[in-house]
Amino acid sequence: QKEVEQDPGPLSVPEGAIVSLNCTYSNSAFQYFMWYRQYSRKGPELLMYTYSSGNKEDGRFTAQVDKSSKYISLFIRDSQPSDSATYLCAMETGNTGKLIFGQGTTLQVKP
Amino acid sequence: ETGVTQSPTHLIKTRGQQVTLRCSSQSGHNTVSWYQQALGQGPQFIFQYYREEENGRGNFPPRFSGLQFPNYSSELNVNALELDDSALYLCASSLAGLAGGQDTQYFGPGTRLTVL
């Protein structure tokens, strides 16, 4: 069993839709939770970073962490074609520098 | 742009050869991490260097080795290449805080290695 599970998709939605991306994990020691966006043939770009449980909002993006359920989510409001990319969740216990990534979910937003 | 650069962009090698990949970190960042990303997978942690010393290693064999230099550059070396080493290799730089906690990692664009 992988430490971090993420549905690879692909997920296809119409422009303007609300997108929900999710990851589950098994290691209760994870404290730091991140979402990265990766365009084709590019490196991952940090979108959201959350410490412990709770919500964090940044523009059209909202990250949620539920440590009791070992479940994290990323919501994208008013999705745009430019949001089409692979979204990677990543986690860390802290002080290790070792990020554990999910497989990534490929998102396509159609005009 | 993260300010992290990698070279070369693409590389083709044959099985058994050795390869060196290079990374230039953001100015002032004292930590570099290397990841391997196979096609359709998330990145996997190879190792991390902090102030020129290895500071943690993932589940990769010793033929994967690295160096970090004082000028914010670093190298990943892979000996005796195998077909399964074909992947995108990413470096990420960060500034390790004295108080601990999570240090945001900024990724470069990667080097795509193909082993034939």
Side-chain angles (χ1 to χ4, degrees):
Chain A
Q1 183 189 6
K2 293 181 180 180
E3 278 190 283
V4 179
E5 298 279 358
Q6 185 176 9
D7 187 338
L11 181 61
S12 182
V13 301
E15 182 175 355
I18 297 175
V19 176
S20 173
L21 304 167
N22 311 293
C23 289
T24 59
Y25 62 94
S26 56
N27 187 350
S28 57
F30 286 138
Q31 297 187 72
Y32 300 92
F33 304 90
M34 288 136 280
W35 285 95
Y36 283 85
R37 177 173 63 194
Q38 186 173 27
Y39 291 113
S40 181
R41 300 190 177 277
K42 301 288 186 182
E45 168 196 11
L46 181 65
L47 274 178
M48 301 286 285
Y49 155 73
T50 309
Y51 170 68
S52 194
S53 283
N55 296 355
K56 187 171 185 178
E57 187 173 324
D58 184 1
R60 296 186 295 113
F61 298 91
T62 300
Q64 288 185 351
V65 175
D66 182 349
K67 290 190 73 178
S68 62
S69 301
K70 298 190 181 69
Y71 188 88
I72 72 170
S73 300
L74 177 71
F75 297 95
I76 307 174
R77 291 183 298 280
D78 188 25
S79 56
Q80 302 295 309
S82 59
D83 294 328
S84 299
T86 295
Y87 290 80
L88 296 155
C89 63
M91 307 178 189
E92 190 191 357
T93 56
N95 298 326
T96 67
K98 178 181 177 182
L99 297 183
I100 307 298
F101 282 87
Q103 184 177 353
T105 299
T106 299
L107 171 67
Q108 183 180 25
V109 181
K110 294 185 174 180
Chain B
E1 295 299 324
T2 63
V4 180
T5 60
Q6 292 187 243
S7 63
T9 305
H10 297 93
L11 202 52
I12 299 175
K13 292 285 188 179
T14 55
R15 194 170 46 184
Q17 285 189 311
Q18 178 266 343
V19 68
T20 297
L21 310 182
R22 293 181 172 82
C23 172
S24 180
S25 299
Q26 274 195 29
S27 179
H29 281 187
N30 53 16
T31 304
V32 64
S33 304
W34 286 90
Y35 292 81
Q36 179 195 66
Q37 186 176 23
L39 196 62
Q41 302 296 317
Q44 278 197 294
F45 177 77
I46 302 174
F47 44 56
Q48 181 184 81
Y49 278 77
Y50 170 68
R51 292 184 174 176
E52 302 163 48
E53 300 274 341
E54 188 176 296
N55 184 45
R57 189 177 186 92
N59 189 26
F60 281 81
R63 61 188 183 85
F64 286 78
S65 63
L67 287 170
Q68 184 187 25
F69 304 102
N71 65 350
Y72 307 118
S73 68
S74 56
E75 292 179 356
L76 165 66
N77 298 289
V78 187
N79 293 323
L81 284 167
E82 300 177 359
L83 297 180
D84 285 349
D85 295 333
S86 295
L88 181 68
Y89 288 84
L90 298 159
C91 74
S93 77
S94 57
L95 178 62
L98 295 175
Q102 198 273 340
D103 308 311
T104 302
Q105 296 188 21
Y106 298 91
F107 284 83
T111 293
R112 185 162 300 279
L113 173 65
T114 301
V115 182
L116 302 176

